[in-house]
Amino acid sequence: MCGIVGYVGSRDTAQVLMSGLSKLEYRGYDSAGIAVVKDGSLDIRKAQGRLSNLEKMLGDYEAKGATGIGHTRWATHGEPSQRNSHPHSNCAETIAVVHNGIIENYMKLKQWLISEGAAFSSETDTEVVAHLINHFYDGDLLEAVRSAIGRIEGSYALGVVSENHPGTIIAARKDSPLVVGIGQGENIIASDIPALLAYTRDVIFLGDKEIAMLTRDSVKIHDEYGRQVDRDTYHVEWDAEQAEKGGYEHFMIKEIHEEPKVMTDTLKIKDGMIDLSQIGIDEKAIADIDKVGIIACGTAYHAGMVGKYIIEDLARIPVEVEIASEFRYRKPIIKEGQLVIIISQSGETADTLAAMREAKKCGAKIAAVVNVVGSTIAREADAVLYTHAGPEIAVASTKAYNTQLIAIYMIALELARLKKSIDMNEYTRLVDGLSEVPKLTEKVLDTKGQLQRFAAKNFHKGSVFFIGRGLDYVLSMEASLKLKEISYIHSEAYAAGELKHGTIALIEDGTLVVAIVTQGKLIEKTISNIKEVKARGAKVLAVCFEGTQLAEDVADEVVYLPKADDVFAPILTVTPMQLFAYYMSVEKGCDVDKPRNLAKSVTVE
Ligand code: F6R
């Protein structure tokens, strides 16, 4: 939700800011803007819509050696428009602010600031920050920012510049991500690492309520009380190239092709055993676990749903999976010491973070499955199992989901071994099976031609139903989300056996039904459900393992997966479902990587 960037150094600041924003546009694209302090005065330029509009507006504008901040917006307060675009400033336009987050008490602050003489020019919550800083400013910008954030309730990652302080950027954060890149004779801030990789791989993750002061040659970090603090520098292992399209038409298809590799990177198997030593598992404590909670949002929640099915199946431990935005406002029943697994690609999702803090307050032990190293969830969890998906740029999550499943299967198998709910022969067979999954996914990628042709014939469908039973049902949820978010086609996931209890009324001539049929014990049952929809005119695309007999009168088209144990079906099925959504979106001419109304890393409620 919104991306911010800031630069101080000797390069062309406008160009650095625009290049940084291009890497952050996945976080929002309702408008973009930059503010630079150049030749002793503040210059703000902004444009509604995509970054390309701002780029056109800037033309050959240069700001060599200037100090600047930039923003790409996902609108929360106030419609997407020129006047609501960031950066925002005080009346005299001496201070400029970019912001990612939500200022919850902005109405109260706004009324007070108006009574003090401030005049507002936008409907945003952010503008109060610029006026507040101005209100407290008496020559010390750092102190003014510190006083201002002391009055703010809500979440923020802020970048602030002032024409009275050329060569200085003040940055602050609470509950929204902010990374400081440490360069040579230059320093940079950004909402996410890809925006600063062209300049440095040494980064500091700013902590909650910390304030950083950046000049060309120094970065000083202060806590909320104004005390200077030391923070560790992380060296980012992946390079800028991994955050580029690398010859693919879209990030999404590139990221789908990376799935075999990133799953291999995430798998930790040593001498035939799952190796979770990195998260410091207390084997005795695990043997005592009698209930597991899983909390996440969106795609990560769907990975959690698969987790419920396999942990209950393999480890025989009851699992409760909850959507984070629901969990955080309930009175959850959590026993002291209960294991709660938090799943998040970004490690910054506001609802997931708040739910994790809530679970912690209730005494839960938190194990987080996170992709972004050093993210807030990773830092606050008791233990972290990192997925190694690398940077995921397309707004719709693909490879991160596959790696979340790998992590969840590793946890399920370890719980099963420690609980002795499966014997060692079965454990070894399943660990071997899991280690084969990346290779099988390479084969699954061969289905793309078939799915592209199928999409070319079916992209005009107004509605698509995904059905399945057991693990096929939980995978359907993710398949359906992927399709709707990037192709804007209405779609629903249904437990195949539940369809007849109402939803089948929506099936009519030509309705597209995608039936996932991988679970041996349930195949006959699902085939009966396919026949029910076929009898009402549905067109059926089925997905099943090679060797499954699905006659053409049952399905109109069949996508075959290489044979594996049924338990691994979700990891193998998701790739063709992602490809299906991708090609439907491409055929419809949608903006695949940046679907409307969405943003990656949802750092607002
Ligand atoms: C959908 C998607 C979202 C995210 C959700 C949680 O393709 O990407 O549903 O899965 O916003 O995000 P993380 O995993 O970063 O907490």
Side-chain angles (χ1 to χ4, degrees):
M1 309 271 107
C2 300
I4 72 168
V5 63
Y7 176 79
V8 51
S10 56
R11 299 177 200 249
D12 175 3
T13 299
Q15 200 260 319
V16 175
L17 296 176
M18 291 301 285
S19 132
L21 291 178
S22 72
K23 304 285 188 305
L24 297 175
E25 214 188 357
Y26 69 86
R27 301 177 67 89
Y29 23 87
D30 289 326
S31 63
I34 61 169
V36 297
V37 177
K38 193 181 161 195
D39 306 327
S41 69
L42 182 65
D43 187 4
I44 300 179
R45 316 241 169 160
K46 40 199 190 182
Q48 191 184 334
R50 297 281 163 109
L51 190 61
S52 52
N53 295 352
L54 179 64
E55 207 173 334
K56 267 185 231 137
M57 175 195 272
L58 290 179
D60 52 12
Y61 178 77
E62 265 189 26
K64 203 161 166 37
T67 303
I69 51 177
H71 188 268
T72 179
R73 179 170 188 241
W74 186 81
T76 58
H77 294 62
E79 56 173 10
S81 66
Q82 172 87 11
R83 73 193 191 99
N84 288 331
S85 308
H86 298 217
H88 289 286
S89 61
N90 57 324
C91 306
E93 290 205 2
T94 52
I95 295 168
V97 174
V98 287
H99 168 222
N100 164 213
I102 287 184
I103 310 296
E104 285 165 2
N105 58 338
Y106 85 103
M107 274 314 285
K108 223 164 95 191
L109 290 170
K110 190 168 177 173
Q111 277 154 12
W112 173 67
L113 286 160
I114 289 171
S115 73
E116 293 281 306
F120 279 75
S121 55
S122 79
E123 303 154 289
T124 65
D125 52 340
T126 304
E127 197 183 343
V128 299
V129 183
H131 291 287
L132 257 187
I133 295 171
N134 181 56
H135 177 86
F136 290 116
Y137 181 72
D138 64 0
D140 185 337
L141 187 60
L142 179 73
E143 265 314 296
V145 173
R146 201 165 74 79
S147 304
I149 61 180
R151 302 291 174 102
I152 289 172
E153 287 163 22
S155 58
Y156 55 80
L158 293 170
V160 182
V161 291
S162 160
E163 65 178 27
N164 296 320
H165 299 266
T168 301
I169 299 174
I170 307 294
R173 74 160 287 229
K174 178 177 164 278
D175 296 338
S176 292
L178 196 62
V179 193
V180 180
I182 313 294
Q184 299 284 329
E186 59 185 353
N187 288 304
I188 184 162
I189 55 165
S191 299
D192 199 358
I193 291 169
L196 41 81
L197 275 184
Y199 314 101
T200 180
R201 292 219 224 154
D202 294 323
V203 301
I204 293 174
F205 297 100
L206 209 58
D208 253 3
K209 298 191 182 168
E210 288 179 348
I211 309 175
M213 184 161 88
L214 288 80
T215 63
R216 282 182 185 203
D217 302 310
S218 69
V219 173
K220 291 191 179 127
I221 298 176
H222 299 85
D223 66 14
E224 60 185 306
Y225 308 107
R227 294 176 301 219
Q228 203 171 321
V229 289
D230 284 332
R231 284 283 162 262
D232 290 339
T233 304
Y234 290 76
H235 186 73
V236 179
E237 296 299 336
W238 42 270
D239 54 31
E241 215 173 275
Q242 281 176 273
E244 304 289 342
K245 274 192 219 149
Y248 287 93
E249 198 180 338
H250 299 101
F251 277 110
M252 181 172 174
I253 191 73
K254 174 190 177 236
E255 289 165 3
I256 293 173
H257 278 88
E258 287 170 356
E259 286 169 358
K261 165 151 191 344
V262 297
M263 286 195 283
T264 305
D265 293 346
T266 303
L267 256 178
K268 296 282 171 268
I269 298 174
K270 209 163 128 193
D271 303 329
M273 309 271 286
I274 301 285
D275 174 17
L276 293 185
S277 51
Q278 55 168 318
I279 68 171
I281 277 191
D282 173 351
E283 299 208 352
K284 177 155 178 344
I286 287 206
D288 293 340
I289 287 174
D290 54 8
K291 188 179 163 197
V292 173
I294 301 182
I295 306 173
C297 301
T299 288
Y301 167 75
H302 294 154
M305 286 299 293
V306 174
K308 173 182 169 68
Y309 277 55
I310 58 164
I311 293 172
E312 290 188 349
D313 180 21
L314 299 177
R316 308 303 298 148
I317 304 171
V319 180
E320 226 171 321
V321 194
E322 284 223 50
I323 292 170
S325 55
E326 287 298 309
F327 177 91
R328 62 184 291 191
Y329 294 117
R330 292 199 310 109
K331 272 201 227 149
I333 302 173
I334 295 218
K335 242 178 39 185
E336 184 70 32
Q338 186 194 313
L339 174 64
V340 169
I341 302 172
I342 300 288
I343 309 176
S344 176
Q345 185 282 126
S346 62
E348 300 290 350
T349 301
D351 285 322
T352 310
L353 179 59
M356 177 178 91
R357 288 176 177 162
E358 206 51 47
K360 254 189 146 176
K361 252 194 256 158
C362 301
K365 278 266 168 260
I366 308 290
V369 173
V370 175
N371 191 42
V372 178
V373 176
S375 55
T376 310
I377 290 175
R379 280 183 282 139
E380 292 189 16
D382 296 304
V384 188
L385 179 54
Y386 279 113
T387 52
H388 293 272
E392 194 179 58
I393 309 292
V395 166
S397 187
T398 54
K399 61 175 178 169
Y401 174 81
N402 296 55
T403 58
Q404 285 162 353
L405 291 190
I406 293 287
I408 286 289
Y409 276 76
M410 291 196 295
I411 292 172
L413 281 166
E414 273 315 86
L415 289 174
R417 181 179 70 83
L418 293 166
K419 283 284 196 186
K420 300 189 172 46
S421 53
I422 54 176
D423 64 27
M424 278 315 280
N425 288 338
E426 180 64 352
Y427 172 83
T428 307
R429 190 184 71 77
L430 290 172
V431 171
D432 288 349
L434 186 60
S435 66
E436 289 298 307
V437 162
K439 250 191 268 155
L440 295 176
T441 298
E442 302 228 7
K443 285 202 192 149
V444 170
L445 283 167
D446 293 341
T447 58
K448 68 182 174 192
Q450 180 188 8
L451 288 161
Q452 186 169 20
R453 288 189 293 278
F454 187 81
K457 287 189 213 138
N458 291 284
F459 70 92
H460 54 274
K461 296 282 182 200
S463 188
V464 179
F465 290 84
F466 290 84
I467 61 169
R469 287 171 179 257
L471 282 171
D472 292 336
Y473 165 52
V474 281
L475 191 275
S476 296
M477 293 175 167
E478 177 56 13
S480 169
L481 176 64
K482 220 68 329 170
L483 181 71
K484 66 185 109 175
E485 69 180 323
I486 59 167
S487 74
Y488 318 143
I489 296 172
H490 165 256
S491 121
E492 291 187 33
Y494 253 82
E498 180 66 9
L499 213 57
K500 58 186 174 290
H501 297 288
T503 306
I504 201 164
L506 293 171
I507 305 293
E508 54 187 13
D509 226 14
T511 305
L512 183 56
V513 174
V514 180
I516 304 174
V517 202
T518 67
Q519 299 300 295
K521 284 183 301 198
L522 301 167
I523 287 180
E524 290 308 321
K525 306 275 174 211
T526 309
I527 287 181
S528 301
N529 301 131
I530 296 177
K531 285 183 176 162
E532 287 157 13
V533 294
K534 281 287 286 177
R536 283 148 183 96
K539 178 169 186 177
V540 175
L541 169 70
V543 184
C544 62
F545 283 122
E546 274 162 4
T548 309
Q549 290 300 316
L550 275 182
E552 293 210 340
D553 60 331
V554 178
D556 297 276
E557 175 116 12
V558 184
V559 172
Y560 288 105
L561 308 170
K563 190 68 193 114
D565 191 288
D566 290 3
V567 79
F568 301 121
I571 330 184
L572 296 173
T573 312
V574 76
T575 304
M577 293 296 88
Q578 294 161 345
L579 289 167
F580 171 63
Y582 173 75
Y583 287 117
M584 292 288 268
S585 174
V586 170
E587 290 292 340
K588 282 193 72 180
C590 301
D591 192 342
V592 177
D593 286 336
K594 296 186 193 111
R596 70 185 180 206
N597 304 340
L598 294 179
K600 204 157 185 85
S601 195
V602 187
T603 50
V604 295
E605 269 198 59

